[in-house]
Amino acid sequence: MSNSGFSKAGLHRVHDVLARHVDSGKIPGVVALFSKGDEAHVETIGTMRHDGGAPMRRDTIFRMASTSKPVSIAAAMVLLDECRLRLDDPVERWLPELADRQVLKRLDGPVDETVPARRPITVRDVLTSTFGLGMDMTVIGTPIMNAVFEQGITPNLPTPMPEQDEWMRRLGTLPLMHQPGERWQYQISSDLVGVLVSRVTGQSFESFLRERIFEPLGMKDTGFHVPGDQLDRLPPLYAPDPVTGEFQVWDEAATGRHSTPPAFQGGGGGLNSTADDYHAYFRMLLNHGMHEGERILSRPAVELMTTNRLSPEQHAARHKLAVDNVHVSHGQGQHGGWGFGMAVRTYRGDYAPVGQFGWDGGSGASTYADPVNRLTGILLTQVGASVPDPVHLMLDFWTALYQAIDD
């Protein structure tokens, strides 16, 4: 038994499991930072590039992809705490582009075959990812998904997303896929949160996040682009060929999408950060909104974010999406519930207990905290989920971390 709550043998296994993935040649390098109680452990293994070069370091900066969601949502929680937003207010006051919505008659039907929305979209719908429009990889090729891609309102397309007012204009041309509040859907709502925060505050989304979340938490390396004098700390992002597994650079550091400020500050996947910055954020959530004696968020705000917000019907649909499409996620994402901006475990499907919260990113990041064990884990690499390898790394990391608990 060690005084950190992890066994020595268990910690060795965490290292060996991570090293095995790097030694396989499928993962160039990895940074893992995890803690139980007050003691943190760090593993830095491998190199920034798959062909060698500089080693991974504790302060390496990563594209956080969808692990941006659980962090960027905190800006909206500040506004709820300050009564500048109410959960059941219609959003059209700030987002007039979303007034008077039309809803598809059939998910796979023509985009002009619609019925009026039964009610306005509310703040709650946006924060819970149930406002009616999102990314659904199981209906790729339908007219509505084609229209979403044609409008350029999702990340990772050849052309980056436009600035937020143009983004909203394009979003407003589309019908909803489901009635407001009816169905949990992915991604678009997380980007919409950023626009909502920006319009309520009259600031850019990033400046509000920096002022209210990043600076108070000491998250000095977190933002929507990496400054030029820090780009040597950013590895390339690889998207290996799904058939051959051959490494392909999807985003180079010096000339890539994260080297200059983006037109659109995407709360759904635009942040760059480090293991220590993310660790500070998730520890704050474990501490009920407190950081080093300073209150960042109220306890009820944190409880609202980190517990399941889906109705039984929404929950059933989301669970079905996960378990019926394991081939899409390679087995990750089967948590049951969803809070605000993050997954929440509602059943014990693996080593993690009910109540664990956080999310994963398609660039090879995995970030969770567990109030039952007072455990936080941040796992960072830069291999995209075009192949199963980074997801297998995540799954093995969390298994290894939980087997190391000794208390």
Side-chain angles (χ1 to χ4, degrees), residues 282-301:
F282 277 89
R283 295 298 295 176
M284 178 272 291
L285 296 183
L286 273 192
N287 291 328
H288 314 294
M290 294 293 289
H291 173 73
E292 295 178 354
E294 184 180 352
R295 182 156 294 289
I296 311 295
L297 295 171
S298 69
R299 178 188 283 259

Side-chain angles (χ1 to χ4, degrees), residues 137-157:
M137 296 326 218
T138 65
V139 294
I140 292 285
T142 53
I144 185 60
M145 284 303 294
N146 290 344
V148 166
F149 289 129
E150 283 161 16
Q151 289 294 342
I153 59 170
T154 62
N156 307 333
L157 296 175

Side-chain angles (χ1 to χ4, degrees), residues 80 85-89 122-125 127 304 340:
L80 286 175
L85 280 176
R86 295 186 202 96
L87 284 170
D88 295 305
D89 276 357
T122 64
V123 172
R124 186 188 300 272
D125 298 330
L127 299 191
L304 204 52
F340 287 169

Side-chain angles (χ1 to χ4, degrees), residues 255-269:
T255 56
R257 293 188 172 203
H258 295 260
S259 63
T260 54
F264 187 92
Q265 297 172 352

Side-chain angles (χ1 to χ4, degrees), residues 18-230:
L18 297 177
R20 191 188 312 156
H21 280 272
V22 174
D23 292 345
S24 74
K26 303 287 179 66
I27 302 290
V30 62
V31 176
L33 174 58
F34 52 94
S35 63
K36 188 174 184 323
D38 295 328
E39 188 170 337
H41 299 265
V42 186
E43 295 283 353
T44 58
I45 303 173
T47 52
M48 304 255 285
R49 304 188 70 94
H50 97 92
D51 43 9
M56 282 288 185
R57 304 190 327 211
R58 180 168 178 162
D59 71 347
T60 296
I61 297 172
F62 294 85
R63 299 163 193 79
M64 300 308 292
S66 285
T67 63
S68 303
K69 293 175 171 70
V71 172
S72 60
I73 194 73
M77 307 313 292
V78 169
L79 297 180
L80 286 175
D81 273 344
E82 296 180 350
C83 300
R84 294 161 80 181
L85 280 176
R86 295 186 202 96
L87 284 170
D88 295 305
D89 276 357
V91 294
E92 56 201 52
R93 175 180 160 194
W94 304 280
L95 307 173
E97 298 92 341
L98 296 183
D100 304 320
R101 291 293 76 199
Q102 292 288 310
V103 183
L104 289 178
K105 283 185 177 176
R106 291 195 358 251
L107 189 56
D108 58 354
V111 292
D112 55 358
E113 287 190 10
T114 60
V115 296
R118 287 195 289 266
R119 63 166 176 79
I121 295 167
T122 64
V123 172
R124 186 188 300 272
D125 298 330
V126 174
L127 299 191
T128 54
S129 301
T130 61
F131 85 97
L133 198 60
M135 299 298 294
D136 186 343
M137 296 326 218
T138 65
V139 294
I140 292 285
T142 53
I144 185 60
M145 284 303 294
N146 290 344
V148 166
F149 289 129
E150 283 161 16
Q151 289 294 342
I153 59 170
T154 62
N156 307 333
L157 296 175
T159 307
M161 297 196 293
E163 54 80 28
Q164 66 179 30
D165 290 349
E166 171 62 14
W167 187 85
M168 282 303 307
R169 186 196 68 76
R170 296 182 191 183
L171 184 64
T173 67
L174 298 170
L176 301 181
M177 299 160 83
H178 300 282
Q179 288 286 343
E182 186 177 65
R183 182 70 64 94
W184 180 88
Q185 289 184 289
Y186 195 52
Q187 178 58 39
I188 295 176
S189 55
S190 296
D191 285 330
L192 190 55
V193 167
V195 183
L196 179 63
V197 168
S198 174
R199 291 201 175 162
V200 170
T201 61
Q203 294 176 244
S204 75
F205 184 39
E206 183 170 36
S207 69
F208 189 75
L209 272 170
R210 189 168 303 290
E211 188 182 299
R212 304 306 299 271
I213 304 297
F214 300 161
E215 286 179 357
L217 285 170
M219 295 173 70
K220 62 183 189 299
D221 290 314
T222 304
F224 289 108
H225 84 287
V226 180
D229 61 354
Q230 302 296 317

Side-chain angles (χ1 to χ4, degrees), residues 78 134 273 325 374 378 382 391 393 400:
V78 169
S273 193
N325 298 286
R374 302 284 301 160
I378 312 295
Q382 292 285 248
V391 182
L393 168 68

